[in-house]
Structures are given as structure tokens and as C-alpha cells.
Amino acid sequence: MAAGSCLLLLLLPWLVTASRSPPGCKIRITSKGLDLVKQEGLRFVEQELQNITVSDLHGKEGQFHYNISQVKVTDLQLAFSDLNFQPQQHLVFNINNASISLRFRRQLLYWFFYDIGSINASADGVHIHTVLQLAKDEAGRLKISNMTCNASIARMHAGFSGTLRKVYEFLSTFIVTGMRFLLSQQICPSLEHASLVLLNSLLDTVPVRNYVDEHIGIDYSLLRDPSVSTDTLDLDFKGMFFPRVREDQELENHAVEPVIKETERMVYVAFSEYFFDSAMHSYFQAGVLAIELQGEKVPKDLEVLLRATFFGTIFMLSPSVDAPLRLVLQVSAPPRCIIKPSGTSVSVSAFLNISLVPPDRPPVQLSSMAMETKLSAKVFLQGKALRVQLDLRRFRIYSKQSALESLALFSLQAPLKTLLQLTIMPIINGRHCCSHTTGSVGRGMAGLSLIPSLLPAERTKKGVQIPLPEGMDFTKEVVTNHAGFLTVGADLHFSKGLREVIEKYRPVPTAAAYPSSQPAEPSLDPGSL
């Protein structure tokens, strides 16, 4: 029994590690990034505090009947503020020695004397201490799950004018004390609403489960609650693409977990090989990594190349030598991404069937060849979109039928590789440089794609959105490759203010508190990617 207990204790760390799913995408926000968030957040807090609603203050003291109403904040001075990380899941926001200027209407009745007017007041030594707890909700979205707040006002002054100014000054201690109490009681509820409602509506703009295009979607749900240290906030996202025809399909993650050690930039985003593999696996499962070209859709340059080489002999042996040519190109297995410190590459295996298609007769297969291709991939961020540019590096073809035919195919490799580099790779990368090409290369090239939808042209051009709130973008991005993953270090920039985005998505009272986790349709606006 004791031996079994010891064995269980030894295996416990391994069991915990095994049950922890590695992320396909990880984001780290550093203290420098938090400083930028503090600047924008402070403006938001000022706007919220300016909208504080203070209840009317009324009553009587002996023969004095008073009423204080229409309290408005006229000015805020929040000179000293801090926003810091607090392990394990918290952000701490402090405002010290702030001042709040007020203006309100007074009404006073003393015996037969009635006086009305306005009072200018100032609350000084305002201290606000708030702690925000961060967590993932049921949909896997980052949320502010709880908030604690303490607010105090050290002193308050009021200036009076009018006929009964001396009377007001006599009662100022009573009135100011009441106003200080009412004001301090409204600060925390205002900030609580701003955090749990308004800021959470901003976090709702972070994509969680969205459609990328008509074939695949991406799951950016959080795997666990955020991890907060004294200097960083780390978020582990699933980072898995899925085919839209099988949205519940899960691809097991065996890739190396991204590790972010740097803290010099405002934000770091890491992507493992699993992130890219799941995209290519989803396209493969969607059945779009295949193409069939026949007749006039076959590029004339390619047809001439085939007829003028080894296949010319095969064509002459066929009674249907003048029949249209048909090419069936299909990826035979999901492409694989390999990330090394020296660079990123994509390996693709495919087969190409070449047939003659005589009218009103069965097709005549001439050859079936296998193709192995290695593409170099340049990954970069632009704005908030992750983009990939591919380049053909290695290309090999061999026969699936005989070694003799494989030997004969050597003469095809160099011209076919050149043809692919000049015409196909620009199409895959979204550069339509071939659209103005004259001659036979221009005709039909739009229909031929070595990896027809490995990264479709439009998607390669627009990229895939990174899970950041609307209005926040990356700048000065630097990509660094590691063994099994890559990181992007960048600074942050607010293209829209918090208030602008919040007002755009301000929750309607009758709406559900949390949005549906169903995927959203892809946006047609590139700026939103």
C-alpha cells in the first residue's frame, strides 16, 4: 500500500502535465503594454466618473429646510494613477490624491427667507483602489469576473454665495459631510458598471470562434484562466482551425508548446506548428486541396511541355493522340509545417494523373506521378492580421508506375519548377501578377494551382485575425523563429478609443449578457482582420 502511494506521488506531476493541453497560440502582455493600456484606461475612467449621478440631499436642521440637487462633476484631476499586475489572476488599479470639482443647486428656507443658487465644491484627497479578477468564461472568452473597490475622500470644500451665504457657511460642515458621503458612495458603483459591463463588452470583440472563409474556421477559445505574474499577463489560446463541414472535429495537439521568455516589447504572440498544421489539415478535410483541369483549362505552356518530352511518346502510342488533355492534381495527405530557428517550411505531397479524354469515349490514363514539394514560408503581422507568404524551394516528381518512367521524368523537373515559380506561387500568395500576362501562360493559369487552396489567394492576402479587442493593433512587429514555434514581438497602438468601441457595442438591456459561441461569418472588411 505504501509502495503504491509513493508510485502515485511520483507519477502525479506527469499526470498533471499530460492532462494540460498545450496552446496553439499564446499571447503575453508585458508591463510596457500595460502602461499603454493605463493611459487609455485613465481617459475612460475620467469619462465614467464625470457621469456620476449623486442623489439629492434634503432635510432640515431646526428652522432651516435645505435641498441640494442637480449635482454635476465639472472637473477631474487624476494626476497619480497606477495599473499593475497582481498574481495570480488580477489587475490592480489605484488612483491617489485626486480631486473632483462639483457644482450643484441649493434651496434654503429659514423662517420666511427663501434662497436659491449654486454651490461650487471640491473633493480633494480622493483615493480609489480597485482589483479586477480576470478569468475565462464558459465560451472560452477572457472576462473580468469580479471586482473589489474601495473609495475615500479626505476632505471637501464648498464655496457659497447669495443672501444667506453666512447661514450656508454656518451649516457647511453638515452639508459638505453629507455630500462627501454621497459622492464616495457613487464612485465604486460607477467603476463596477464600467468594468463588469462596459469593459466586458469590449472583450466581447475579441474573436473566439470565427469563420475564416467558406471552407474553415478558427477556435481562439482560452484553454485556462490567464496567468498573471508581477510583470506579465499570459493567455493560452486553443489556436485550432477546423473545417466548416465538420465543426466539431478536434485535431490532437502533439506540437511543442510555445515558450515566451522576452519582456522587452509591449506584447508577444507565439504560434506553434500545430496552429499552421490545423489550418492545412482543415483545408484537406474540407476537400479543397484538389483540382481537375481539362481541355482549354490546361495551360498551353504546360501541355506543350508534356507533349514535347517523355509523354510525347506515350501520346503517339494512343489512338486518341489528338484528344483533349486532362490533369487531376490532388494533395495526398495534409501538408505539414516545420518551424526551425533557421526558418519555416511547408512540406506537401501530391499526385498528378495525366489522361487523354476522347469525345464520347472512356478516358485513357497516360501516367500517374507523385510530387513532393517543399515551400518556404515567411510569416508576418500587418495591423492585426497574420499573413503568410510562400515560396517554392524544392520540387521533385517521380512515377508511381515504374522506375523507368521516373528516370524519364528528370527532364521535366527543372522546366516545371520554373513554370510553377513564375505563375503559380504569385497566385497562391495573392499577387495577381499573371492577370495581365499575354500568350498561353496567361490563359488558363488562374485555373491551375499547385496547392489549389493551401492558403487561398484572398485569405493569404487578407490574413487571419489575431485575438485582440477591436481598436487595438500591432506596430513594429519582429518575427523570431524557435524550435517548433515562432514568436512575434510588437508594440501596441490604439486605432480607436475605448469609449468609441464601447459605444459601438454598448449592451442592450434586453440582450443576453454573453454572446453566442457560435462562429461568426467572415468579415468582408480587411480592416477588421
Side-chain angles (χ1 to χ4, degrees), residues 288-308:
V288 296
L289 301 188
I291 193 170
E292 180 177 318
L293 303 175
Q294 182 173 320
E296 294 183 354
K297 291 186 178 181
V298 178
K300 293 300 180 182
D301 291 51
L302 182 58
E303 183 175 355
V304 170
L305 182 65
L306 293 175
R307 291 182 183 273

Side-chain angles (χ1 to χ4, degrees), residues 340-415:
K340 297 180 179 180
S342 57
T344 303
S345 62
V346 178
S347 298
V348 184
S349 298
F351 60 82
L352 175 64
N353 290 331
I354 304 176
S355 306
L356 291 175
V357 189
D360 303 323
R361 294 179 59 185
V364 179
Q365 182 167 317
L366 302 177
S367 179
S368 178
M369 66 178 74
M371 307 173 67
E372 292 182 356
T373 304
K374 192 167 188 178
L375 307 171
S376 65
K378 179 183 178 182
V379 181
F380 60 99
L381 274 177
Q382 187 168 2
K384 201 162 43 180
L386 179 70
R387 303 183 180 183
V388 179
Q389 182 175 345
L390 300 172
D391 187 24
L392 182 62
R393 286 302 181 193
R394 288 206 303 231
F395 174 74
R396 186 171 77 93
I397 55 175
Y398 56 93
S399 174
K400 297 174 62 179
Q401 296 176 339
S402 68
L404 180 63
E405 189 173 346
S406 295
L407 184 63
L409 288 175
F410 279 128
S411 60
L412 270 178
Q413 289 196 128

Side-chain angles (χ1 to χ4, degrees), residues 256 270-277 336-346 377 379 479-487:
V256 174
F271 304 96
S272 72
E273 293 175 345
Y274 172 80
F275 180 86
F276 302 99
D277 284 346
R336 293 297 306 275
C337 174
I338 301 174
I339 302 176
K340 297 180 179 180
S342 57
T344 303
S345 62
V346 178
V379 181
V479 180
T480 305
N481 278 44
H482 304 272
F485 65 96
L486 58 86
T487 59

Side-chain angles (χ1 to χ4, degrees), residues 22 216 357 368 443 473:
I216 68 171
V357 189
S368 178
R443 294 191 300 271
D473 296 320

Side-chain angles (χ1 to χ4, degrees), residues 219-239:
D219 188 341
Y220 273 132
S221 58
L222 282 171
L223 295 176
R224 54 193 65 90
D225 290 331
S227 176
V228 179
S229 70
T230 55
D231 300 313
T232 60
L233 166 66
D234 289 339
L235 302 168
D236 290 348
F237 296 93
K238 195 171 193 177

Side-chain angles (χ1 to χ4, degrees), residues 21-316:
S21 300
C25 172
K26 175 178 284 190
I27 291 182
R28 163 170 287 184
I29 300 175
T30 67
S31 296
K32 292 182 180 179
L34 195 63
D35 288 340
L36 179 69
V37 174
K38 186 194 79 171
Q39 297 172 17
E40 184 64 28
L42 193 60
R43 284 191 287 269
F44 174 70
V45 169
E46 288 179 351
Q47 294 168 350
E48 287 301 305
L49 292 180
Q50 285 177 345
N51 296 324
I52 284 180
T53 301
V54 180
S55 302
D56 294 349
L57 178 65
H58 56 83
K60 68 176 183 175
E61 185 72 16
Q63 297 300 321
F64 286 96
H65 297 259
Y66 58 89
N67 183 50
I68 303 298
S69 61
Q70 299 178 13
V71 181
K72 292 183 179 180
V73 177
T74 59
D75 187 42
L76 285 169
Q77 296 294 329
L78 308 180
F80 303 100
S81 62
D82 287 306
L83 179 62
N84 299 306
F85 295 117
Q86 178 177 293
Q88 302 289 325
Q89 294 177 235
H90 300 89
L91 295 178
V92 178
F93 183 55
N94 288 316
I95 296 176
N96 296 311
N97 202 27
S99 64
I100 304 176
S101 297
L102 304 169
R103 185 178 180 87
F104 47 87
R105 184 172 182 267
R106 72 172 190 267
Q107 293 175 287
L108 180 65
L109 177 64
Y110 179 65
W111 291 100
F112 301 106
F113 296 96
Y114 179 70
D115 182 59
I116 62 173
S118 61
I119 299 177
N120 294 319
S122 176
D124 299 319
V126 179
H127 297 275
I128 305 173
H129 177 76
T130 59
V131 179
L132 306 178
Q133 182 176 357
L134 304 176
K136 77 176 187 74
D137 66 5
E138 294 180 357
R141 190 185 301 273
L142 179 65
K143 288 289 186 179
I144 300 173
S145 60
N146 192 22
M147 173 187 172
T148 58
C149 174
N150 293 302
S152 63
I153 300 175
R155 55 195 174 275
M156 192 164 185
H157 306 283
F160 303 96
S161 62
T163 307
L164 300 180
R165 179 172 59 87
K166 293 296 183 179
V167 176
Y168 273 100
E169 289 177 351
F170 176 74
L171 297 174
S172 63
T173 301
F174 178 77
I175 295 176
V176 167
T177 301
M179 285 303 303
R180 184 174 66 176
F181 173 78
L182 291 177
L183 179 61
S184 63
Q185 291 299 304
Q186 293 302 315
I187 291 176
C188 284
S190 176
L191 295 182
E192 183 175 350
H193 177 267
S195 301
L196 299 181
V197 178
L198 300 183
L199 288 182
N200 274 337
S201 71
L202 176 71
L203 294 176
D204 285 340
T205 66
V206 178
V208 171
R209 190 174 174 87
N210 280 13
Y211 291 141
V212 175
D213 55 29
E214 65 272 23
H215 303 298
I216 68 171
I218 185 167
D219 188 341
Y220 273 132
S221 58
L222 282 171
L223 295 176
R224 54 193 65 90
D225 290 331
S227 176
V228 179
S229 70
T230 55
D231 300 313
T232 60
L233 166 66
D234 289 339
L235 302 168
D236 290 348
F237 296 93
K238 195 171 193 177
M240 182 197 76
F241 291 83
F242 58 87
R244 292 183 62 169
V245 294
R246 301 176 184 173
E247 292 191 8
D248 57 346
Q249 177 174 291
E250 292 277 342
L251 180 64
E252 195 168 349
N253 187 352
H254 297 291
V256 174
E257 179 173 349
V259 178
I260 303 176
K261 298 180 180 179
E262 300 85 356
T263 58
E264 291 77 16
R265 305 298 298 276
M266 291 184 181
V267 63
Y268 291 89
V269 187
F271 304 96
S272 72
E273 293 175 345
Y274 172 80
F275 180 86
F276 302 99
D277 284 346
S278 67
M280 295 179 287
H281 186 273
S282 297
Y283 277 124
F284 182 79
Q285 290 293 319
V288 296
L289 301 188
I291 193 170
E292 180 177 318
L293 303 175
Q294 182 173 320
E296 294 183 354
K297 291 186 178 181
V298 178
K300 293 300 180 182
D301 291 51
L302 182 58
E303 183 175 355
V304 170
L305 182 65
L306 293 175
R307 291 182 183 273
T309 54
F310 171 75
F311 291 105
T313 305
I314 303 178
F315 292 154
M316 296 302 296

